[in-house]
Every structure is written in C-alpha cells, then in structure tokens.
C-alpha cells in the first residue's frame, strides 16, 4: 500500500517539486524486535552476506540521499536488503 501511495503522491505532486519515495529495509535489530530469539538472530547474521544487521544509521543515510536527490527521482522504492528479493 505504501508504494502505491508514494507513486500516487509522486505523480500528483511533481508539479509542486515535491518528491515521494519509499524505503524498504530488511531486518534491523531494534527495540521493536527485542523479543526475537537470540539464536534466531545469530543464524540470521551468519547467513547474511554482510554478516551484520542493517542499522538505523544506514537507513538514515538513505533518507539523506533521497532528500538530496534530483526531482526526477520520485515514486520509487529503495530496497535495503543486500540484493535479496
């Protein structure tokens, strides 16, 4: 739903030079998933290509990139998932 909304907003607001994009991050070790089993997290890290979880700082860097992006970059979804589908 969010991607559809971003695409709709992008087409409606481009005339006002307003961009609308989404970021789809993979699993992040945050307080929201503090109850996830430690063994499960360990296995996730072991099987991850970078051997680490995505950080909030990396997501923030992507937001910064989008804020500075040219007006032509709108209605897009940026996947932060190390190339996994």
């Amino acid at each position: 739903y969010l991607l559809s909304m971003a695409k709709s907003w992008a087409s409606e607001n481009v005339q006002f030079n307003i961009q609308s994009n989404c970021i789809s991050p993979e699993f992040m070790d945050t307080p929201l998933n503090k109850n996830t089993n430690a063994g499960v997290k360990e296995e996730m890290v072991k099987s991850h290509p970078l051997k680490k979880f995505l950080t909030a700082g990396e997501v923030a860097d992507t937001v910064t990139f989008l804020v500075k992006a040219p007006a032509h970059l709108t209605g897009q979804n940026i996947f932060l998932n190390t190339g996994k589908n």
Side-chain angles (χ1 to χ4, degrees), residues 11-37:
S11 64
E12 290 175 16
N13 294 306
V14 69
Q15 64 187 329
F16 305 112
N17 200 31
I18 297 172
Q19 296 164 266
S20 177
N21 295 295
C22 294
I23 299 173
S24 295
E26 65 183 349
F27 185 87
M28 297 170 40
D29 196 13
T30 68
L32 289 174
N33 54 46
K34 66 182 175 195
N35 294 326
T36 301
N37 180 288

Side-chain angles (χ1 to χ4, degrees), residues 3 6 16 38 40-41 49-50 78-79 81:
L3 181 55
F16 305 112
V40 170
K41 288 181 182 179
L50 297 175
I78 308 296
F79 291 97
N81 64 2

Side-chain angles (χ1 to χ4, degrees), residues 25-84:
E26 65 183 349
F27 185 87
M28 297 170 40
D29 196 13
T30 68
L32 289 174
N33 54 46
K34 66 182 175 195
N35 294 326
T36 301
N37 180 288
V40 170
K41 288 181 182 179
E42 184 178 317
E43 286 301 314
M44 290 171 72
V45 168
K46 280 167 92 176
S47 67
H48 193 280
L50 297 175
K51 306 299 184 216
K52 68 181 191 86
F53 290 126
L54 179 66
T55 67
E58 291 166 323
V59 176
D61 289 344
T62 306
V63 171
T64 300
F65 164 76
L66 288 172
V67 167
K68 295 177 179 182
H72 287 84
L73 181 60
T74 190
Q76 301 302 308
N77 187 26
I78 308 296
F79 291 97
L80 295 180
N81 64 2
T82 60
K84 296 181 278 183

